[in-house]
Amino acid sequence: PNSYTYQVYEDMTMQFIVWMGTCCLFFFLLWVFTNMCKAFQRCLVFPNEMKWWGRLVISFDNLTYWVWFWTSFFWIGFNVYLATTSATFHFNNLGMMSFMLAATFLNYA
């Protein structure tokens, strides 16, 4: 029998909606900031088109491949530990969402 209630799924859906709304708001503010930089192009040295932000993000993503190479060793050790010990896999969805957001922030920070 499934011990979950619909409240868990409602919480997960609301967290996803808030996350998507925050992403859309961030991209809208970035677009507004970029257009303002386009207006003050002579005195500001910021990307004045969205494609330059995209190229900057791609450059940061390429940097993470050698900055975060050690995470593979963590996952190997974690899987060996789980293979040799008994563990339960019932995680708090709020804690896991917070961990995912923190890891994403640290990945691009």
Side-chain angles (χ1 to χ4, degrees), residues 10-25:
E10 290 172 3
D11 291 342
M12 287 190 303
T13 303
M14 283 305 298
Q15 288 173 3
F16 177 74
I17 290 170
V18 168
W19 179 75
M20 287 297 293
T22 304
C23 287
C24 290
L25 178 66

Side-chain angles (χ1 to χ4, degrees), residues 63-101:
L63 288 174
T64 60
Y65 292 124
W66 62 272
V67 172
W68 292 95
F69 76 97
W70 54 268
T71 55
S72 60
F73 300 110
F74 164 77
W75 285 113
I76 291 169
F78 182 73
N79 287 327
V80 167
Y81 172 76
L82 288 180
T84 58
T85 61
S86 62
T88 60
F89 295 101
H90 182 71
F91 300 109
N92 182 358
N93 61 344
L94 183 61
M96 293 303 290
M97 184 73 174
S98 301
F99 174 74
M100 185 271 305
L101 291 175

Side-chain angles (χ1 to χ4, degrees), residues 50-66:
M50 291 299 287
K51 67 179 178 181
W52 298 115
W53 288 112
R55 290 179 180 180
L56 186 63
V57 169
I58 290 169
S59 297
F60 280 133
D61 183 54
N62 289 333
L63 288 174
T64 60
Y65 292 124
W66 62 272

